[in-house]
Amino acid sequence: MPYDPSAFPPFAVTVDLVVLTVRRHALCALAVRRGEPPFQGRWALPGGFVRADEDLAQAAARELAEETGLRAHDPSVPAQDNGAHLEQLATYGDPKRDPRMRVVSVAHLALAPDLPAPRAGGDASNARWAPVDELLQQGGYGRDGEPVAPLAFDHAQILSDGVERARSKIEYSSLATAFCPTEFTVGELRRVYEAVWGVALDPRNFHRKVTGTPGFLVPTGGTTTRQGGRPAQLFRAGGATLLNPPMLRPEV
Amino acid sequence: MPYDPSAFPPFAVTVDLVVLTVRRHALCALAVRRGEPPFQGRWALPGGFVRADEDLAQAAARELAEETGLRAHDPSVPAQDNGAHLEQLATYGDPKRDPRMRVVSVAHLALAPDLPAPRAGGDASNARWAPVDELLQQGGYGRDGEPVAPLAFDHAQILSDGVERARSKIEYSSLATAFCPTEFTVGELRRVYEAVWGVALDPRNFHRKVTGTPGFLVPTGGTTTRQGGRPAQLFRAGGATLLNPPMLRPEV
DNA sequence: ATCATAGTCGTCTGCCTGACGATAAACACT
DNA sequence: AGTGTTTATCGTCAGGCAGACGACTATGAT
């Protein structure tokens, strides 16, 4: 095909973000309320246009910072604090996914520790952490009794893909620690797995597995009783990124 | 951010293909020679612009058919013959990746059985299957003694990501069968794993593993001696897509 | 003091893998 | 026909790891 600038159609390119966190034992995603049509008033994933001089990862990191104040974890700086994990998820380009024009969206997945209230342009009522089950259920009523509308555009599909990616990725990587604060206990880490997978795990076997995997956890020396019960050792995430053998997700 | 058509820059969107196959015990990728600048005369991955009314997967399937004659496997039709596996790989959007203009490329990964000669616009000299090691090595000389130039654009990165995806995906899925003809032997399947991973596997343990995994292989009843030696049973790919427990890749 | 809660250490059993011996069935020679 | 070579296939054994679960420890709440 010879090069002809008129031979290709112009696209708008956006990044959309699936920002996941664990709050109150539930896997939650960041949702923002749309202020203008289409889908005005509906919840959607945060996102925005990629700028002319911007890489895709930069655009995703910028949007993440704008929506949450989080800085993305630079993979070259292992021991960075309070940064979210950010990775490209997939790209969605159905010709009809945006009724206005042809938009290709490069979705990214961010995993963040539990945060204070979100902010969207300073307006808290237009951004919230919602349990992913609630965001993904079609119709019906949420836990507060209000009717639930499906997410705008194809964002339910994107969110679903992001959740699936997170579920499988914590199996074979140490990424579950991205949901935890800098220092955390084995029990807190276990509750992350339980929230993301939606299952109950045996505390004894889990403890044996994570403390026995070299490089996964580094003890800080401190202890805490913030969960009640016997004081628990505090750990930081170790240098290992890949878990081998992986953490096994129970059947069904 | 209010909607303003002038607020976003226009992008060109392309699909690039990493088409992998196993030939003569080596993992090979399809490369095409560029006929015009930039990178004129250099090898590149096949690809092209996404059309105005086309989904990304459609565009990838169209390019795959144009370059190889392969039809992409429709995931909803399990027992389809001679179709290639096609999946989205990742999206590359560095502002400077194409010197002409801002191009975002949605790379796709295709796994195909060994094919006759490739064709690129009917001209065989402009398309070839090349061992991925050869395409990825920087400079130096290929096996035929000719100097090796790096792939055009960021295609070395894309190819490298595609190979890594294929290597990890055959661990926990039955995708290795996508490299095989419709009917194949356990030994042929083992040689696929050996070529993709670049390791030697124990034939006895491999045989035990694949024949013992329910749904992976279905015996057709026939046998063949095309590999020499004792006749081997022929199999077809079974319905299972996920391998649990996975096939373990040897260390190092 | 007693209870509830959470954390930590052990034990046992079964499954899976890696290492490897042994046999089987073809073909290519002599 | 016999011998060697090649590939396929079955078996055995030991070690590692996961699931199930018992036991004990150290807090705070009542």
Side-chain angles (χ1 to χ4, degrees):
Chain A
M1 182 190 310
Y3 171 55
D4 173 3
S6 69
F8 61 89
F11 289 71
V13 176
T14 62
V15 291
D16 285 325
L17 294 180
V18 176
V19 190
L20 299 180
T21 195
V22 174
R23 321 190 87 195
R24 281 182 269 117
H25 295 200
L27 182 64
C28 295
L30 183 61
V32 298
R33 197 192 295 274
R34 287 188 56 79
E36 68 272 2
F39 300 101
Q40 185 167 23
R42 291 265 283 281
W43 293 97
L45 298 177
F49 291 110
V50 177
R51 296 181 180 162
D53 56 352
E54 213 177 27
D55 190 5
L56 300 173
Q58 285 170 22
R62 173 177 56 76
E63 290 288 341
L64 181 65
E66 287 176 6
E67 302 285 350
T68 67
L70 284 167
R71 281 182 318 169
H73 225 131
D74 185 336
S76 63
V77 185
Q80 200 169 338
D81 263 12
N82 214 24
H85 170 82
L86 183 61
E87 68 177 44
Q88 195 185 105
L89 176 59
T91 300
Y92 300 82
D94 188 278
K96 296 193 161 56
R97 64 181 294 278
D98 188 318
R100 296 168 294 183
M101 57 189 164
R102 188 70 199 265
V103 179
V104 165
S105 173
V106 184
H108 285 69
L109 175 65
L111 308 185
D114 197 359
L115 299 169
R119 49 168 191 175
D123 186 350
S125 76
N126 286 333
R128 65 166 182 151
W129 293 107
V132 295
D133 308 333
E134 195 174 312
L135 290 174
L136 288 177
Q137 72 184 9
Q138 297 295 326
Y141 296 85
R143 110 173 26 176
D144 53 2
E146 297 204 2
V148 175
L151 289 173
F153 303 108
D154 50 3
H155 287 187
Q157 180 67 50
I158 298 176
L159 174 59
S160 171
D161 292 347
V163 169
E164 193 39 58
R165 170 84 64 96
R167 283 187 175 141
S168 75
K169 205 139 188 189
I170 64 173
E171 286 188 49
Y172 59 88
S173 80
S174 61
L175 265 185
T177 59
F179 287 116
C180 294
T182 309
E183 296 200 346
F184 54 89
T185 69
V186 173
E188 289 164 350
L189 183 62
R190 175 168 48 81
R191 281 180 278 277
V192 164
Y193 275 92
E194 291 178 334
V196 175
W197 284 344
V199 298
L201 299 175
D202 185 292
R204 297 157 291 187
N205 293 335
F206 184 86
H207 189 277
R208 178 182 61 192
K209 174 69 177 171
V210 296
T211 57
T213 299
F216 194 3
L217 299 183
V218 183
T220 67
T223 62
T224 182
T225 61
R226 62 184 171 222
Q227 300 290 338
R230 172 176 164 180
Q233 276 189 82
L234 286 170
F235 295 88
R236 262 186 291 106
T241 57
L242 252 50
L243 262 41
N244 203 324
M247 182 84 58
L248 291 184
R249 173 159 33 162
E251 312 285 314
V252 183
Chain B
M1 181 191 309
Y3 171 54
D4 172 3
S6 69
F8 61 90
F11 289 71
V13 176
T14 61
V15 291
D16 286 324
L17 294 181
V18 177
V19 190
L20 299 180
T21 195
V22 174
R23 322 190 86 195
R24 283 182 269 118
H25 296 198
L27 182 62
C28 295
L30 183 61
V32 298
R33 198 192 293 274
R34 287 189 55 79
E36 68 271 3
F39 300 99
Q40 185 167 24
R42 291 265 283 282
W43 293 99
L45 299 177
F49 292 111
V50 177
R51 296 181 180 162
D53 56 351
E54 212 177 29
D55 191 3
L56 300 174
Q58 284 170 24
R62 173 178 54 76
E63 290 289 341
L64 181 65
E66 287 176 6
E67 302 284 349
T68 67
L70 284 167
R71 281 183 318 169
H73 227 133
D74 186 337
S76 62
V77 185
Q80 201 168 338
D81 264 11
N82 214 21
H85 170 82
L86 183 61
E87 67 177 47
Q88 195 185 105
L89 176 59
T91 300
Y92 300 81
D94 187 277
K96 297 195 160 56
R97 63 180 296 278
D98 189 319
R100 296 169 294 181
M101 57 189 165
R102 188 71 199 264
V103 179
V104 165
S105 173
V106 184
H108 286 69
L109 175 65
L111 308 184
D114 196 0
L115 300 169
R119 48 167 192 176
D123 185 351
S125 77
N126 286 332
R128 65 165 183 153
W129 293 107
V132 295
D133 309 331
E134 195 175 311
L135 290 174
L136 288 177
Q137 73 185 11
Q138 298 293 326
Y141 296 85
R143 110 173 30 174
D144 53 2
E146 296 204 3
V148 175
L151 289 172
F153 304 108
D154 51 2
H155 287 187
Q157 180 67 50
I158 299 175
L159 174 58
S160 171
D161 292 347
V163 169
E164 193 38 58
R165 171 83 66 96
R167 283 188 175 140
S168 76
K169 206 140 188 191
I170 63 174
E171 286 187 49
Y172 58 89
S173 80
S174 61
L175 265 186
T177 58
F179 287 116
C180 294
T182 310
E183 295 199 345
F184 54 90
T185 69
V186 173
E188 290 165 348
L189 183 63
R190 175 169 48 82
R191 281 179 278 275
V192 164
Y193 275 91
E194 292 179 333
V196 175
W197 285 345
V199 298
L201 299 175
D202 185 289
R204 297 157 290 189
N205 292 336
F206 183 87
H207 189 277
R208 177 182 61 193
K209 173 71 177 173
V210 296
T211 57
T213 300
F216 194 3
L217 300 183
V218 183
T220 67
T223 63
T224 182
T225 62
R226 60 183 172 225
Q227 300 290 337
R230 172 177 165 179
Q233 276 189 83
L234 285 169
F235 295 89
R236 261 185 291 107
T241 58
L242 252 50
L243 262 41
N244 205 321
M247 182 85 58
L248 291 184
R249 175 160 29 164
E251 312 288 313
V252 183

